[in-house]
Amino acid sequence: MIEVIDLVKNFGTEKTFITKVLKGISLTIETGEFTTIVGPSGSGKSTFLNVLSTLIKPTSGKVLFDNVDITTFNEDQLGKFRNKTIGFIFQNHHLFSELTALENVMMPADIADNHDKHIDHGKYLLDRVGLSDRMNYKPAHLSGGQCQRVAIARALLLSPKCLFADEPTGNLDQATTHEIFNLLEELNNEQKTTIVMVTHDEKLASRVNNTITLIDGNVIN
Ligand code: ADP
Ligand code: MG
């Protein structure tokens, strides 16, 4: 379970230049849930997701993962925590252009010097996202939707408890958006991975267990 308690994020240091982006958010995300975050552009969705997923530190407030406050972690603890607990997908797939689909998927294991332990799972995941016949293709020879599938497989390689996604279908057409969303729903059901996804597609967003609406740095119920 993720518990967010009175989360505040300001950017800037000089008093006159402080931008208040998250204005005291409190909420709970249950383990295994698929949660979507919606709201107008600039409402703080990415900032909120980045704080939740440990990419940036909040100004104040707590984020508890199974009762442990991750906002107090040092870099060492954060590194271990991210490796074990968290997967990311972004709007841009951020694949390495010189690596094949499988090599991209294996990246997290290779960094941890754990290739052999995870290679079967890497192949399984690429098969699971529908790319068993594209494992040796480089990103330039894959469509945008296929690249995003590779990014999803990579994010799931080390079996994270929680997958964070920031507008993962933002660059994709409607049909591909639905495919990717369906895939994430299936993976959420099958693997019980908690998913927190920012999307501007309110129709899709409302299909899942839990939707958080952010307006100007506050949660609207
Ligand atoms: P959303 O994802 O909902 O579009 P963001 O979280 O990206 O919104 O941004 C919310 C607000 O915070 C915006 O006004 C943006 O300009 C501001 N902001 C985001 N990141 C920074 C930063 N690093 N420094 C200063 N302001 C920022
Ligand atoms: Mg954003």
Side-chain angles (χ1 to χ4, degrees):
M1 183 171 83
I2 307 170
E3 265 177 289
V4 177
I5 303 168
D6 205 14
L7 198 67
V8 171
K9 179 66 187 177
N10 303 328
F11 287 108
T13 44
E14 294 291 323
K15 252 190 182 161
T16 44
F17 292 113
I18 286 182
T19 315
K20 297 179 176 178
V21 177
L22 303 178
K23 299 177 179 169
I25 293 178
S26 298
L27 53 83
T28 303
I29 294 170
E30 301 292 341
T31 302
E33 245 182 13
F34 193 154
T35 296
T36 48
I37 301 174
V38 296
S41 178
S43 57
K45 303 182 296 296
S46 293
T47 304
F48 182 57
L49 196 77
N50 289 344
V51 174
L52 270 190
S53 59
T54 75
L55 292 181
I56 58 176
K57 291 229 185 231
T59 304
S60 63
K62 292 180 181 173
V63 179
L64 309 181
F65 273 75
D66 295 334
N67 297 316
V68 179
D69 184 4
I70 52 142
T71 62
T72 64
F73 280 4
N74 62 32
E75 277 309 311
D76 216 35
Q77 291 169 307
L78 279 178
K80 285 188 188 126
F81 176 78
R82 287 186 196 122
N83 246 334
K84 268 183 33 191
T85 314
I86 288 177
F88 298 98
I89 339 170
F90 301 94
Q91 182 164 350
N92 180 306
H93 49 73
H94 293 294
L95 298 180
F96 289 93
S97 58
E98 69 279 17
L99 300 182
T100 65
L102 183 59
E103 287 166 349
N104 268 291
V105 170
M106 291 308 294
M107 203 62 178
D110 290 342
I111 289 169
D113 211 6
N114 242 337
H115 184 94
D116 294 350
K117 185 177 167 196
H118 295 285
I119 183 69
D120 289 343
H121 193 50
K123 288 178 179 169
Y124 163 79
L125 285 168
L126 268 179
D127 183 36
R128 181 64 194 78
V129 301
L131 293 174
S132 54
D133 57 347
R134 295 285 189 280
M135 292 199 194
N136 298 318
Y137 282 49
K138 291 184 178 170
H141 299 129
L142 298 168
S143 69
Q146 288 171 332
C147 284
Q148 202 54 294
R149 286 165 184 270
V150 175
I152 292 170
R154 178 180 58 185
L156 293 174
L157 182 73
L158 301 180
S159 305
K161 289 186 188 137
C162 194
L163 183 64
F164 292 100
D166 195 352
E167 307 215 29
T169 60
N171 289 335
L172 304 174
D173 60 55
Q174 186 105 35
T176 315
T177 293
H178 275 88
E179 271 172 41
I180 295 287
F181 192 83
N182 291 340
L183 175 64
L184 289 173
E185 263 187 330
E186 287 164 22
L187 292 167
N188 169 249
N189 278 328
E190 275 169 30
Q191 323 221 343
K192 305 292 166 220
T193 313
T194 306
I195 299 182
V196 184
M197 179 175 101
V198 173
T199 177
H200 55 262
D201 192 327
E202 301 212 1
K203 228 178 187 174
L204 280 185
S206 62
R207 260 174 45 183
V208 302
N209 311 113
N210 183 22
T211 299
I212 297 166
T213 305
L214 276 183
I215 307 270
D216 195 21
N218 292 300
V219 173
I220 306 298
N221 290 313

